[in-house]
Amino acid sequence: MAKQILRLSLIALAALAASAAQAQSSGWTLMPALKDPNFKPEVSIAFTGNRVMPDQGANTNAWGLDLNMNCGLIQSPDKRIRTHVNFSRSNKGGVQGTNWELSPRYTAPVQGAPGLSMGVGPSLGVFQFDSAAGDRTYTGLGAAAGANFRAGPLYTGLDVRYHFTNRRGGERLDPLTWGAKVGVNF
């Protein structure tokens, strides 16, 4: 399964890169935040609760924030790319974790369910752990998927994210993260 997720992530990244190269001729927009006078970021911010399950080490709970908005760097013709920035912290057994994740996702509405949308895309992550035994920082490439619900100012959703990380001290982290979020739309 891990190899399939990596392949899908690489395909999604390649598709984004190819789309960026053909942006002007196919209706894709580069830098819509600067070029499109009708661009609206439609920002949402939410508190998150996550379950982080690394390949090595103990599972832990993490709390944080999810900030997401219409992507201002590249936008599809149907304006469905949203960028998610996730920040979370955990503390278990004297090990403090700090995670940063960036995930542009193609997000589409679910037919027959007003306010509900689903999205998928590549994800980049930085995972830092501090303990008495030392500090370790991992970087990762992976995939993210989520379901989001918006109704007026209410924003809520569920996410799943997986990252392949670099090796540190002969070990990898490779976390699978499940999360729920609740917040507000601006």
Side-chain angles (χ1 to χ4, degrees):
M1 180 172 157
K3 288 182 181 179
Q4 290 174 339
I5 292 173
L6 179 60
R7 285 185 196 128
L8 289 174
S9 298
L10 293 175
I11 289 168
L13 284 172
L16 266 172
S19 297
Q22 299 176 7
Q24 301 303 351
S25 64
S26 65
W28 284 73
T29 307
L30 291 175
M31 304 299 290
L34 300 175
K35 293 180 180 177
D36 183 355
N38 297 318
F39 177 79
K40 294 179 184 173
E42 297 179 2
V43 175
S44 299
I45 189 165
F47 291 103
T48 63
N50 298 297
R51 183 68 174 165
V52 182
M53 299 176 287
D55 279 354
Q56 297 181 12
N59 295 345
T60 188
N61 295 324
W63 306 97
L65 293 172
D66 174 275
L67 172 69
N68 66 84
M69 68 206 79
N70 289 333
C71 187
L73 298 177
I74 186 170
Q75 197 51 260
S76 62
D78 53 4
K79 301 188 181 347
R80 291 186 176 168
I81 297 186
R82 289 189 63 83
T83 299
H84 289 253
V85 178
N86 290 296
F87 168 79
S88 62
R89 300 268 304 173
S90 63
N91 189 347
K92 184 173 184 176
V95 177
Q96 293 183 353
T98 304
N99 302 341
W100 289 94
E101 300 169 51
L102 174 66
S103 175
R105 301 179 194 175
Y106 183 84
T107 304
V110 175
Q111 295 298 324
L116 185 62
S117 63
M118 298 188 76
V120 63
S123 184
L124 300 172
V126 176
F127 310 94
Q128 181 180 11
F129 297 93
D130 300 323
S131 69
D135 301 341
R136 291 189 185 222
T137 300
Y138 299 86
T139 56
L141 172 65
N148 303 290
F149 179 74
R150 290 177 174 76
L154 173 66
Y155 170 71
T156 187
L158 301 170
D159 278 347
V160 61
R161 304 178 302 275
Y162 186 82
H163 291 89
F164 294 95
T165 61
N166 60 321
R167 290 189 182 276
R168 289 282 186 245
E171 63 183 36
R172 299 175 77 114
L173 182 64
D174 294 352
L176 174 64
T177 305
W178 296 89
K181 53 193 168 185
V182 64
V184 295
N185 298 309
F186 294 96

